[in-house]
mmCIF file of all heavy atoms in Angstrom:
data_model
loop_
_atom_site.group_PDB
_atom_site.id
_atom_site.type_symbol
_atom_site.label_atom_id
_atom_site.label_comp_id
_atom_site.label_asym_id
_atom_site.label_seq_id
_atom_site.Cartn_x
_atom_site.Cartn_y
_atom_site.Cartn_z
ATOM 1 N N SER A 1 -14.089 -71.712 -37.508
ATOM 2 C CA SER A 1 -13.418 -72.121 -36.243
ATOM 3 C C SER A 1 -13.718 -71.085 -35.221
ATOM 4 O O SER A 1 -13.999 -69.944 -35.509
ATOM 5 C CB SER A 1 -11.924 -72.337 -36.418
ATOM 6 O OG SER A 1 -11.302 -71.145 -36.851
ATOM 7 N N PHE A 2 -13.696 -71.514 -33.919
ATOM 8 C CA PHE A 2 -13.934 -70.549 -32.799
ATOM 9 C C PHE A 2 -13.072 -70.917 -31.639
ATOM 10 O O PHE A 2 -13.001 -72.075 -31.208
ATOM 11 C CB PHE A 2 -15.395 -70.617 -32.400
ATOM 12 C CG PHE A 2 -15.771 -69.609 -31.354
ATOM 13 C CD1 PHE A 2 -15.993 -68.281 -31.695
ATOM 14 C CD2 PHE A 2 -15.845 -69.961 -30.015
ATOM 15 C CE1 PHE A 2 -16.320 -67.333 -30.770
ATOM 16 C CE2 PHE A 2 -16.157 -69.018 -29.031
ATOM 17 C CZ PHE A 2 -16.406 -67.696 -29.412
ATOM 18 N N SER A 3 -12.293 -69.925 -31.128
ATOM 19 C CA SER A 3 -11.444 -70.135 -29.983
ATOM 20 C C SER A 3 -11.177 -68.802 -29.333
ATOM 21 O O SER A 3 -10.864 -67.812 -29.985
ATOM 22 C CB SER A 3 -10.141 -70.757 -30.440
ATOM 23 O OG SER A 3 -9.258 -70.942 -29.366
ATOM 24 N N GLU A 4 -11.242 -68.805 -27.978
ATOM 25 C CA GLU A 4 -10.924 -67.637 -27.198
ATOM 26 C C GLU A 4 -11.595 -66.356 -27.661
ATOM 27 O O GLU A 4 -10.909 -65.295 -27.801
ATOM 28 C CB GLU A 4 -9.399 -67.500 -27.095
ATOM 29 C CG GLU A 4 -8.722 -68.685 -26.441
ATOM 30 C CD GLU A 4 -7.229 -68.589 -26.366
ATOM 31 O OE1 GLU A 4 -6.691 -67.512 -26.705
ATOM 32 O OE2 GLU A 4 -6.623 -69.536 -25.921
ATOM 33 N N GLY A 5 -12.861 -66.431 -27.959
ATOM 34 C CA GLY A 5 -13.627 -65.267 -28.353
ATOM 35 C C GLY A 5 -13.421 -64.820 -29.781
ATOM 36 O O GLY A 5 -13.936 -63.792 -30.222
ATOM 37 N N LYS A 6 -12.748 -65.657 -30.583
ATOM 38 C CA LYS A 6 -12.504 -65.299 -31.970
ATOM 39 C C LYS A 6 -13.117 -66.351 -32.911
ATOM 40 O O LYS A 6 -12.767 -67.518 -32.829
ATOM 41 C CB LYS A 6 -11.007 -65.168 -32.274
ATOM 42 C CG LYS A 6 -10.723 -64.789 -33.748
ATOM 43 C CD LYS A 6 -9.261 -64.439 -33.929
ATOM 44 C CE LYS A 6 -8.481 -65.687 -34.301
ATOM 45 N NZ LYS A 6 -7.095 -65.360 -34.717
ATOM 46 N N MET A 7 -13.998 -65.894 -33.797
ATOM 47 C CA MET A 7 -14.611 -66.741 -34.808
ATOM 48 C C MET A 7 -13.925 -66.468 -36.144
ATOM 49 O O MET A 7 -13.836 -65.269 -36.525
ATOM 50 C CB MET A 7 -16.078 -66.487 -34.920
ATOM 51 C CG MET A 7 -16.746 -67.370 -35.955
ATOM 52 S SD MET A 7 -18.479 -66.956 -36.192
ATOM 53 C CE MET A 7 -18.324 -65.476 -37.166
ATOM 54 N N THR A 8 -13.452 -67.494 -36.827
ATOM 55 C CA THR A 8 -12.794 -67.286 -38.107
ATOM 56 C C THR A 8 -13.534 -68.104 -39.172
ATOM 57 O O THR A 8 -13.743 -69.314 -38.997
ATOM 58 C CB THR A 8 -11.300 -67.743 -38.058
ATOM 59 O OG1 THR A 8 -10.620 -67.013 -37.035
ATOM 60 C CG2 THR A 8 -10.616 -67.522 -39.396
ATOM 61 N N VAL A 9 -13.944 -67.459 -40.216
ATOM 62 C CA VAL A 9 -14.494 -68.118 -41.392
ATOM 63 C C VAL A 9 -13.364 -68.226 -42.397
ATOM 64 O O VAL A 9 -12.718 -67.271 -42.777
ATOM 65 C CB VAL A 9 -15.679 -67.328 -42.003
ATOM 66 C CG1 VAL A 9 -16.148 -67.988 -43.297
ATOM 67 C CG2 VAL A 9 -16.805 -67.219 -40.999
ATOM 68 N N HIS A 10 -13.073 -69.511 -42.812
ATOM 69 C CA HIS A 10 -11.967 -69.824 -43.684
ATOM 70 C C HIS A 10 -12.508 -69.968 -45.132
ATOM 71 O O HIS A 10 -13.456 -70.721 -45.342
ATOM 72 C CB HIS A 10 -11.311 -71.111 -43.269
ATOM 73 C CG HIS A 10 -10.761 -71.071 -41.882
ATOM 74 N ND1 HIS A 10 -9.446 -70.775 -41.608
ATOM 75 C CD2 HIS A 10 -11.331 -71.254 -40.648
ATOM 76 C CE1 HIS A 10 -9.232 -70.768 -40.293
ATOM 77 N NE2 HIS A 10 -10.385 -71.064 -39.706
ATOM 78 N N LEU A 11 -11.880 -69.219 -46.056
ATOM 79 C CA LEU A 11 -12.293 -69.277 -47.469
ATOM 80 C C LEU A 11 -11.265 -70.033 -48.304
ATOM 81 O O LEU A 11 -10.080 -69.668 -48.325
ATOM 82 C CB LEU A 11 -12.337 -67.855 -48.010
ATOM 83 C CG LEU A 11 -13.601 -67.047 -47.865
ATOM 84 C CD1 LEU A 11 -13.398 -65.680 -48.486
ATOM 85 C CD2 LEU A 11 -14.767 -67.756 -48.499
ATOM 86 N N PRO A 12 -11.680 -71.084 -49.026
ATOM 87 C CA PRO A 12 -10.806 -71.722 -49.922
ATOM 88 C C PRO A 12 -10.519 -70.844 -51.175
ATOM 89 O O PRO A 12 -11.210 -69.873 -51.400
ATOM 90 C CB PRO A 12 -11.537 -73.033 -50.350
ATOM 91 C CG PRO A 12 -12.960 -72.706 -50.105
ATOM 92 C CD PRO A 12 -13.031 -71.714 -48.992
ATOM 93 N N HIS A 13 -9.489 -71.178 -51.870
ATOM 94 C CA HIS A 13 -9.042 -70.363 -53.016
ATOM 95 C C HIS A 13 -10.126 -70.043 -54.019
ATOM 96 O O HIS A 13 -10.251 -68.896 -54.433
ATOM 97 C CB HIS A 13 -7.872 -71.067 -53.715
ATOM 98 C CG HIS A 13 -7.278 -70.270 -54.824
ATOM 99 N ND1 HIS A 13 -6.493 -69.187 -54.638
ATOM 100 C CD2 HIS A 13 -7.434 -70.452 -56.196
ATOM 101 C CE1 HIS A 13 -6.161 -68.675 -55.816
ATOM 102 N NE2 HIS A 13 -6.680 -69.430 -56.757
ATOM 103 N N ASP A 14 -10.935 -71.037 -54.417
ATOM 104 C CA ASP A 14 -11.942 -70.803 -55.455
ATOM 105 C C ASP A 14 -12.993 -69.774 -54.986
ATOM 106 O O ASP A 14 -13.403 -68.899 -55.751
ATOM 107 C CB ASP A 14 -12.573 -72.104 -55.947
ATOM 108 C CG ASP A 14 -13.326 -72.812 -54.843
ATOM 109 O OD1 ASP A 14 -12.946 -72.751 -53.660
ATOM 110 O OD2 ASP A 14 -14.348 -73.490 -55.152
ATOM 111 N N LYS A 15 -13.412 -69.850 -53.702
ATOM 112 C CA LYS A 15 -14.421 -68.912 -53.189
ATOM 113 C C LYS A 15 -13.777 -67.544 -53.054
ATOM 114 O O LYS A 15 -14.464 -66.523 -53.321
ATOM 115 C CB LYS A 15 -14.938 -69.404 -51.845
ATOM 116 C CG LYS A 15 -15.536 -70.780 -51.864
ATOM 117 C CD LYS A 15 -16.977 -70.804 -52.229
ATOM 118 C CE LYS A 15 -17.560 -72.199 -52.014
ATOM 119 N NZ LYS A 15 -18.867 -72.350 -52.609
ATOM 120 N N LEU A 16 -12.585 -67.489 -52.628
ATOM 121 C CA LEU A 16 -11.858 -66.220 -52.505
ATOM 122 C C LEU A 16 -11.804 -65.497 -53.867
ATOM 123 O O LEU A 16 -12.107 -64.302 -53.995
ATOM 124 C CB LEU A 16 -10.467 -66.462 -51.969
ATOM 125 C CG LEU A 16 -9.587 -65.202 -51.866
ATOM 126 C CD1 LEU A 16 -10.010 -64.336 -50.691
ATOM 127 C CD2 LEU A 16 -8.144 -65.631 -51.681
ATOM 128 N N CYS A 17 -11.420 -66.217 -54.889
ATOM 129 C CA CYS A 17 -11.322 -65.647 -56.237
ATOM 130 C C CYS A 17 -12.688 -65.206 -56.746
ATOM 131 O O CYS A 17 -12.781 -64.166 -57.398
ATOM 132 C CB CYS A 17 -10.709 -66.651 -57.198
ATOM 133 S SG CYS A 17 -8.935 -66.913 -56.916
ATOM 134 N N THR A 18 -13.728 -65.907 -56.440
ATOM 135 C CA THR A 18 -15.076 -65.510 -56.834
ATOM 136 C C THR A 18 -15.416 -64.163 -56.220
ATOM 137 O O THR A 18 -15.955 -63.273 -56.918
ATOM 138 C CB THR A 18 -16.107 -66.583 -56.427
ATOM 139 O OG1 THR A 18 -15.830 -67.801 -57.134
ATOM 140 C CG2 THR A 18 -17.523 -66.153 -56.766
ATOM 141 N N LEU A 19 -15.175 -64.007 -54.967
ATOM 142 C CA LEU A 19 -15.484 -62.725 -54.282
ATOM 143 C C LEU A 19 -14.642 -61.574 -54.810
ATOM 144 O O LEU A 19 -15.147 -60.466 -54.982
ATOM 145 C CB LEU A 19 -15.231 -62.836 -52.774
ATOM 146 C CG LEU A 19 -16.330 -63.452 -51.947
ATOM 147 C CD1 LEU A 19 -15.860 -63.574 -50.508
ATOM 148 C CD2 LEU A 19 -17.589 -62.601 -52.007
ATOM 149 N N ILE A 20 -13.391 -61.804 -55.059
ATOM 150 C CA ILE A 20 -12.471 -60.733 -55.427
ATOM 151 C C ILE A 20 -12.505 -60.372 -56.908
ATOM 152 O O ILE A 20 -12.495 -59.168 -57.261
ATOM 153 C CB ILE A 20 -11.031 -61.123 -55.025
ATOM 154 C CG1 ILE A 20 -10.897 -61.200 -53.517
ATOM 155 C CG2 ILE A 20 -10.006 -60.176 -55.609
ATOM 156 C CD1 ILE A 20 -9.566 -61.700 -53.024
ATOM 157 N N TYR A 21 -12.595 -61.348 -57.776
ATOM 158 C CA TYR A 21 -12.391 -61.119 -59.217
ATOM 159 C C TYR A 21 -13.648 -61.208 -60.071
ATOM 160 O O TYR A 21 -13.527 -61.053 -61.280
ATOM 161 C CB TYR A 21 -11.329 -62.046 -59.748
ATOM 162 C CG TYR A 21 -9.980 -61.885 -59.052
ATOM 163 C CD1 TYR A 21 -9.470 -62.903 -58.257
ATOM 164 C CD2 TYR A 21 -9.300 -60.693 -59.143
ATOM 165 C CE1 TYR A 21 -8.252 -62.758 -57.612
ATOM 166 C CE2 TYR A 21 -8.052 -60.548 -58.499
ATOM 167 C CZ TYR A 21 -7.560 -61.566 -57.729
ATOM 168 O OH TYR A 21 -6.372 -61.452 -57.068
ATOM 169 N N THR A 22 -14.798 -61.456 -59.489
ATOM 170 C CA THR A 22 -16.024 -61.523 -60.309
ATOM 171 C C THR A 22 -17.083 -60.554 -59.833
ATOM 172 O O THR A 22 -16.957 -59.962 -58.768
ATOM 173 C CB THR A 22 -16.590 -62.950 -60.313
ATOM 174 O OG1 THR A 22 -17.245 -63.210 -59.048
ATOM 175 C CG2 THR A 22 -15.540 -64.033 -60.585
ATOM 176 N N GLU A 23 -18.128 -60.472 -60.568
ATOM 177 C CA GLU A 23 -19.278 -59.644 -60.181
ATOM 178 C C GLU A 23 -20.251 -60.384 -59.294
ATOM 179 O O GLU A 23 -21.251 -59.795 -58.875
ATOM 180 C CB GLU A 23 -20.003 -59.145 -61.458
ATOM 181 C CG GLU A 23 -19.142 -58.238 -62.342
ATOM 182 C CD GLU A 23 -18.720 -56.943 -61.624
ATOM 183 O OE1 GLU A 23 -19.578 -56.325 -60.973
ATOM 184 O OE2 GLU A 23 -17.542 -56.587 -61.724
ATOM 185 N N GLU A 24 -19.968 -61.633 -59.013
ATOM 186 C CA GLU A 24 -20.852 -62.412 -58.108
ATOM 187 C C GLU A 24 -20.984 -61.656 -56.802
ATOM 188 O O GLU A 24 -20.029 -61.145 -56.273
ATOM 189 C CB GLU A 24 -20.269 -63.816 -57.881
ATOM 190 C CG GLU A 24 -20.327 -64.741 -59.058
ATOM 191 C CD GLU A 24 -21.741 -65.115 -59.431
ATOM 192 O OE1 GLU A 24 -22.541 -65.413 -58.553
ATOM 193 O OE2 GLU A 24 -22.011 -65.109 -60.648
ATOM 194 N N ILE A 25 -22.169 -61.713 -56.224
ATOM 195 C CA ILE A 25 -22.463 -60.988 -54.983
ATOM 196 C C ILE A 25 -21.895 -61.760 -53.781
ATOM 197 O O ILE A 25 -21.466 -61.141 -52.810
ATOM 198 C CB ILE A 25 -23.974 -60.794 -54.799
ATOM 199 C CG1 ILE A 25 -24.525 -59.981 -55.974
ATOM 200 C CG2 ILE A 25 -24.301 -60.133 -53.460
ATOM 201 C CD1 ILE A 25 -23.962 -58.576 -56.071
ATOM 202 N N GLY A 26 -21.941 -63.074 -53.819
ATOM 203 C CA GLY A 26 -21.482 -63.833 -52.635
ATOM 204 C C GLY A 26 -21.145 -65.240 -52.916
ATOM 205 O O GLY A 26 -21.308 -65.761 -54.025
ATOM 206 N N VAL A 27 -20.615 -65.887 -51.857
ATOM 207 C CA VAL A 27 -20.307 -67.319 -51.890
ATOM 208 C C VAL A 27 -20.879 -67.919 -50.612
ATOM 209 O O VAL A 27 -21.025 -67.274 -49.583
ATOM 210 C CB VAL A 27 -18.771 -67.543 -51.959
ATOM 211 C CG1 VAL A 27 -18.234 -67.050 -53.266
ATOM 212 C CG2 VAL A 27 -18.048 -66.942 -50.781
ATOM 213 N N GLN A 28 -21.170 -69.215 -50.708
ATOM 214 C CA GLN A 28 -21.809 -69.877 -49.552
ATOM 215 C C GLN A 28 -21.383 -71.347 -49.498
ATOM 216 O O GLN A 28 -20.956 -71.909 -50.482
ATOM 217 C CB GLN A 28 -23.329 -69.734 -49.579
ATOM 218 C CG GLN A 28 -23.953 -70.454 -50.755
ATOM 219 C CD GLN A 28 -25.464 -70.187 -50.843
ATOM 220 O OE1 GLN A 28 -25.905 -69.061 -50.580
ATOM 221 N NE2 GLN A 28 -26.197 -71.169 -51.252
ATOM 222 N N ASP A 29 -21.587 -71.908 -48.311
ATOM 223 C CA ASP A 29 -21.301 -73.335 -48.146
ATOM 224 C C ASP A 29 -21.890 -73.788 -46.799
ATOM 225 O O ASP A 29 -22.316 -72.932 -45.995
ATOM 226 C CB ASP A 29 -19.762 -73.555 -48.109
ATOM 227 C CG ASP A 29 -19.355 -74.914 -48.653
ATOM 228 O OD1 ASP A 29 -20.197 -75.823 -48.655
ATOM 229 O OD2 ASP A 29 -18.171 -75.077 -48.950
ATOM 230 N N TYR A 30 -21.925 -75.080 -46.606
ATOM 231 C CA TYR A 30 -22.310 -75.639 -45.309
ATOM 232 C C TYR A 30 -21.074 -76.242 -44.687
ATOM 233 O O TYR A 30 -20.334 -76.955 -45.370
ATOM 234 C CB TYR A 30 -23.416 -76.694 -45.500
ATOM 235 C CG TYR A 30 -24.730 -76.090 -45.762
ATOM 236 C CD1 TYR A 30 -25.147 -75.839 -47.070
ATOM 237 C CD2 TYR A 30 -25.627 -75.774 -44.707
ATOM 238 C CE1 TYR A 30 -26.429 -75.256 -47.325
ATOM 239 C CE2 TYR A 30 -26.854 -75.179 -44.976
ATOM 240 C CZ TYR A 30 -27.221 -74.931 -46.275
ATOM 241 O OH TYR A 30 -28.447 -74.368 -46.521
ATOM 242 N N ALA A 31 -20.873 -76.023 -43.417
ATOM 243 C CA ALA A 31 -19.737 -76.555 -42.701
ATOM 244 C C ALA A 31 -20.216 -77.540 -41.646
ATOM 245 O O ALA A 31 -21.267 -77.330 -41.025
ATOM 246 C CB ALA A 31 -18.899 -75.455 -42.059
ATOM 247 N N GLU A 32 -19.454 -78.595 -41.455
ATOM 248 C CA GLU A 32 -19.787 -79.576 -40.413
ATOM 249 C C GLU A 32 -19.654 -78.922 -39.007
ATOM 250 O O GLU A 32 -18.652 -78.276 -38.725
ATOM 251 C CB GLU A 32 -18.840 -80.766 -40.501
ATOM 252 C CG GLU A 32 -19.122 -81.882 -39.557
ATOM 253 C CD GLU A 32 -20.511 -82.488 -39.737
ATOM 254 O OE1 GLU A 32 -20.895 -82.726 -40.891
ATOM 255 O OE2 GLU A 32 -21.189 -82.701 -38.725
ATOM 256 N N ASN A 33 -20.689 -79.074 -38.225
ATOM 257 C CA ASN A 33 -20.637 -78.545 -36.836
ATOM 258 C C ASN A 33 -21.227 -79.537 -35.821
ATOM 259 O O ASN A 33 -21.506 -79.131 -34.680
ATOM 260 C CB ASN A 33 -21.370 -77.185 -36.752
ATOM 261 C CG ASN A 33 -22.877 -77.315 -36.974
ATOM 262 O OD1 ASN A 33 -23.379 -78.379 -37.388
ATOM 263 N ND2 ASN A 33 -23.611 -76.277 -36.680
ATOM 264 N N GLY A 34 -21.432 -80.768 -36.244
ATOM 265 C CA GLY A 34 -21.981 -81.771 -35.312
ATOM 266 C C GLY A 34 -23.475 -81.733 -35.211
ATOM 267 O O GLY A 34 -24.068 -82.564 -34.501
ATOM 268 N N GLN A 35 -24.141 -80.821 -35.935
ATOM 269 C CA GLN A 35 -25.606 -80.707 -35.944
ATOM 270 C C GLN A 35 -26.118 -81.145 -37.281
ATOM 271 O O GLN A 35 -25.482 -80.911 -38.319
ATOM 272 C CB GLN A 35 -25.991 -79.248 -35.636
ATOM 273 C CG GLN A 35 -25.509 -78.704 -34.320
ATOM 274 C CD GLN A 35 -26.200 -79.320 -33.154
ATOM 275 O OE1 GLN A 35 -27.465 -79.328 -33.105
ATOM 276 N NE2 GLN A 35 -25.467 -79.853 -32.209
ATOM 277 N N GLU A 36 -27.346 -81.663 -37.288
ATOM 278 C CA GLU A 36 -27.974 -81.992 -38.557
ATOM 279 C C GLU A 36 -28.120 -80.742 -39.399
ATOM 280 O O GLU A 36 -28.586 -79.699 -38.922
ATOM 281 C CB GLU A 36 -29.353 -82.619 -38.326
ATOM 282 C CG GLU A 36 -29.990 -83.139 -39.569
ATOM 283 C CD GLU A 36 -31.299 -83.849 -39.313
ATOM 284 O OE1 GLU A 36 -31.466 -84.398 -38.236
ATOM 285 O OE2 GLU A 36 -32.152 -83.822 -40.237
#
């Protein structure tokens, strides 16, 4: 989301847990933005 100069990336619970509690390097996803 983006508003008043602030961009926020929102992490769902499963992705958050992957980052915090595993050795996985990262998490990724595609978000709808009105563009192909």
Side-chain angles (χ1 to χ4, degrees):
S1 60
F2 185 80
S3 178
E4 299 180 5
K6 181 171 90 171
M7 181 185 76
T8 303
V9 175
H10 301 264
L11 273 180
H13 182 75
D14 62 328
K15 303 274 189 191
L16 177 74
C17 289
T18 297
L19 276 176
I20 292 174
Y21 300 114
T22 74
E23 296 298 314
E24 290 292 317
I25 300 298
V27 294
Q28 64 186 37
D29 210 340
Y30 285 89
E32 184 61 43
N33 67 349
Q35 301 288 309
E36 185 176 332

